[in-house]
Amino acid sequence: MLAWCVELRISTLSLWVLLTENLRRSPRELSGIFAAIEAKLGRLARDRRIRRHSVRVRAVGKLELLPDATLAAIRAAEAATADRQGMTLLIAVAYGGREEIADVPDPDLIIRTTGEIRLSGFMLWQSASSEFYFCDAPWPALRRVDFLRAVRVYQQRQRRFGR
């Protein structure tokens, strides 16, 4: 997904990794989620393609609710990419729209996967003028063709920004 966005010169990609309410899941399930976040952010911070495309990693959410190891991985990825001026990869973790309005750019397009036709609290304030695309593919199985279809539909829309 990140490579696809870089190719299309999209300035910010926001990924909603963990809903605040998901913190009530079982400790076993959460430990797997946190381990996956830590591993992925560690790889991102060292990835040559991320460096070459000058991708900056930022995190938003109630980060204080995360385990120390997960928070350390987030901070390390942010620090390793802090000087980059290209695309921004915004990681929303322990994030819920009811709890906060984060200092992030308003999204032009929100792609909702898994066939759900709802936002579940994702960027409620920021998405007031966003375009939405709902896709049946689950997130891990989202293909390039699914992503490009969403971008094409977005490009064909007449944006009115509430007018």
Side-chain angles (χ1 to χ4, degrees), residues 57-161:
V57 175
R58 288 187 55 212
V60 295
K62 292 188 173 265
L63 304 181
E64 69 277 5
L65 299 177
L66 300 174
D68 291 340
T70 306
L71 184 56
I74 289 169
R75 295 298 182 225
E78 287 179 325
T81 63
D83 62 337
R84 303 202 181 141
Q85 301 295 317
M87 176 185 196
T88 298
L89 174 59
L90 188 69
I91 306 293
V93 61
Y95 179 91
R98 291 183 177 162
E99 289 84 16
E100 65 182 290
I101 298 173
D103 182 20
V104 297
D106 293 347
D108 293 312
L109 172 64
I110 294 177
I111 302 171
R112 175 60 197 241
T113 58
T114 69
E116 298 289 344
I117 304 178
R118 58 188 166 83
L119 290 180
S120 301
F122 182 67
M123 293 190 171
L124 296 175
W125 179 264
Q126 297 92 331
S127 67
S129 294
S130 299
E131 296 293 324
F132 297 92
Y133 182 83
F134 299 97
C135 177
D136 289 333
W139 166 248
L142 189 75
R143 302 165 303 164
R144 178 182 170 90
V145 68
D146 299 318
F147 174 71
L148 292 176
R149 187 175 295 127
V151 171
R152 185 179 65 239
V153 167
Y154 166 78
Q155 290 172 332
Q156 293 171 344
R157 290 186 181 163
Q158 188 73 289
R159 297 201 65 204
R160 296 188 313 254
F161 299 96

Side-chain angles (χ1 to χ4, degrees), residues 29-43:
E29 190 175 7
L30 284 172
S31 69
I33 292 169
F34 293 137
I37 292 169
E38 293 161 21
K40 188 62 173 179
L41 285 173
R43 286 192 304 274

Side-chain angles (χ1 to χ4, degrees), residues 16-23 92-97 99 120-122:
W16 194 10
V17 177
L18 185 69
L19 174 64
T20 308
E21 285 79 8
N22 291 152
L23 294 172
V93 61
Y95 179 91
E99 289 84 16
S120 301
F122 182 67

